[in-house]
Every structure is written in structure tokens, then in C-alpha cells.
Amino acid sequence: MTACAPEPVTHAADLAAELGALLAPASLLRRNEPLARRTTLRVGGPAEIYVEPADESELAVVLRFCRERDVPIFMLGRGSNLLIRDGGIRGVVIHLGAVAFSRVEVDGELLRCGAGAKLKDIALTAKRHGIGGLEFLEGIPGNLGGALRMNAGAMNAWTFEAVASLRFMDYNGVAHERAASDVDTAYRSCPLLKSAVALGALLKGRQSPREHIEAKLAECQQKRWTSQPKEPSAGCVFKNTKAVPAGKLVDELGLKGTRVGGAVVSDVHGNFIINDGTATARDVLALIEIVRTTALAERGIELETEIEIVGED
Ligand code: EPU
């Protein structure tokens, strides 16, 4: 062993080889995996090391390895609320894409769902079983893990309102289950999941007539189709403020249609930045800065980003 730090690239290659040797063949590990296509905004650089563990025990192996080697980890969900910078993400990017993480099992009015389950699938499974109260999930284009991590919401409802208990794994690879009443949450945030991995949740609904559920689902879809853009985006860019919803503010400031490179403030909804197909993360970040600076200068309002911004320039 020499005292010199190895070159980052070699180091990453060595780490990937070591981690790969610890994992079962059913887990997937890749070097320099492009991530733009794994996000809804479709910008950003690659993952230095990308892993899809086959199940919870494989995930525990990855987490323990990263902790022991001091390798940063990033949990990638459906990438629907995410802006990855153009230099990509260093360390290990973990995606719970294996079937073991995406189960949705119904028990009375409860649904036990894995973190990899799509919110839309959860909402539709609930409908099939006559369980109401989860319709709002249909309109959120992500999976459960991401929705738990940011307490995602739509139609004036929040993810944790529907959670009975949360399953998560700490960075030592130990799984826990905790009643939702013992988990702190806030608007667009669940601090516990900043340093632990969501494995899934027990969601609670209520028996409802099928036609009520269908009407509510249709209302959610209608709202989304008519008020949100269809082009690639990361959803709402900014958190709403107490004074005014961020989209309304951007609209009032006359910023709709403002463009930097391939990034444009949507004409449909002011809180969305769309990618015209040629945007880079740098374009999107510059546009975000224009909106924030204008909101502060003209209305004295500090806009805070809701999307997660990660990676290297
Ligand atoms: N508005 C405008 N101009 C615009 C956009 C909105 O005047 O360009 C007005 C609307 O007319 C409405 C108000 O602003 O009076 C609020 O707009 P909207 O009803 O579209 O809801 P929102 O607060 O902008 C929130 C969530 C969305 C979620 C919708 C639908 C936040 C930051 N956003 O949007 O979530 O889909 O409600 O329930 O809380 C996301 O998290 O990525 C997201 C898109």
C-alpha cells in the first residue's frame, strides 16, 4: 500500500471491481452509466458507479461497502424531481429497480408497497381493490421511494398522510420499520431519509365505492393534463411560498417562455422548466438563477428549489 492517493478514475475502477466481487450475479453494476435518460428532465452526466441491487441483502452489502470505504452514495428513484449536473455523480448511484423492491400487496385497506413501486401502479392497484384516498398518487410521476424521501404531494394531499408505517435501511445495512407517527415530516421533506434508504411503506386507504375512486382519479389526470406541460421536465422547480404559489409568481413576473439554450420556462405552467431536447444541466441552472434573481429583485421573494440538484459541474 502506498501513501499516495490513487487517481480518481483508477480508484473508481478498483472500487467497482471490489464491490462487483461482493455482489451476487443477480445484482447489476456498471461503470460510467449515463443518467440523463434515467431522469424525466433528460440532462446530466453519468454515474461513476451504478448499482441495482437484486434485493435487500444485496442493498445492505452495497451500503456497508460504501460506509467502510467512505464512498458517497446517491439514491436514484424515477429521476422525476432531479437535476443532475453535467459532470455526473461521483461515488455509487443506487437504483432500486429490481422486482424485489417494487411489490404492491393488498391487505384489507392497507397496501404494503416497495420503494421501487411506481406511484401510478399503487393508485391503480388501490382502485382495483376499492381502496380510496390514494388517488392523488396517480398524478405524481415517480416511485414510492422518491415520494417518501420528499413527502411528495399533489391535489393538496401529501405522501405521508397516506403512510401507516415506513420501512427503511440505515447506512450500516440494517432494516427498520417505524410508525409514521414517529417520523418527522414537513412540506416536501422527510429528514430521516436524507441519511437512510426508503425500502417501502405500509399505505392506508379506506374502502370507497369504485365510481368515487374513478371520479377522483379522472380529476387528478384532468388537472395534470390541462395545467402542466407534456415536454420533458423535473416537475415543479420551486417550492410554493407562503405569499404566492411559485408558478403564479413566475407567471406574474412575465417570465414564461424565457430561454437559456435548450431550457425554457413553460408557457403552460410557470413553475416548470422544460427541455426542448437540446438542454444541458448548465442551461437549466442558469434559467433557475434568472427566475430566482428576478423574483427577489421585483417582489422581494426568495424562491427555494424543490427539485434535488446533485452532481459535479
Ligand atoms: N398559476 C398561475 N400561472 C401559472 C401556474 C399556476 O397563475 O403559470 C396559478 C394557478 O391558477 C393556481 C395556483 O397558481 O391558482 C397554483 O397552481 P396549481 O394549481 O397548478 O398548483 P401548484 O401549487 O403550482 C402544486 C404542486 C404540484 C402538483 C399540483 C397539482 C408544488 C410546488 N407543486 O402545484 O407538484 O402537481 O399542485 O396538485 O407544491 C411537483 O411537485 O413537481 C408538482 C408539480
Side-chain angles (χ1 to χ4, degrees), residues 28 43 65 78 80 100 110 131 133 142 173 175 185-187 213 219 222 229-230 233 244 249 254 258 261 278 287 292:
L28 179 126
V43 300
F65 177 87
R78 260 205 82 209
S80 56
L110 297 171
I131 302 170
T185 57
Y187 171 66
I213 301 173
E219 190 193 336
Q222 173 73 6
K230 294 173 182 54
S233 79
V244 58
L249 172 64
T258 309
T278 65
L287 193 50
R292 294 188 65 192

Side-chain angles (χ1 to χ4, degrees), residues 159-199:
T159 303
F160 268 89
E161 286 177 338
V163 175
S165 66
L166 171 72
R167 252 173 75 68
F168 61 95
M169 189 175 276
D170 64 33
Y171 285 177
N172 292 314
V174 180
H176 307 262
E177 177 131 9
R178 192 174 289 180
S181 51
D182 295 332
V183 179
D184 282 339
T185 57
Y187 171 66
R188 296 298 198 251
S189 145
C190 174
L192 168 70
L193 296 176
K194 289 197 192 311
S195 53
V197 177
L199 296 173

Side-chain angles (χ1 to χ4, degrees), residues 154-155 187-188 223 228 236 238 240 251 256 269-270 306:
M155 306 297 287
Y187 171 66
R188 296 298 198 251
K223 161 99 184 163
Q228 298 184 1
C236 283
F238 301 102
N240 282 341
D251 197 352
K256 282 180 165 178
H269 192 299
E306 186 218 82

Side-chain angles (χ1 to χ4, degrees), residues 57 59 76 307:
S57 61
L59 172 63
L76 176 71
I307 53 172

Side-chain angles (χ1 to χ4, degrees), residues 122-136:
I122 295 173
L124 294 181
T125 303
K127 181 187 85 168
R128 277 202 305 280
H129 289 81
I131 302 170
L134 301 173
E135 299 86 351
F136 73 100

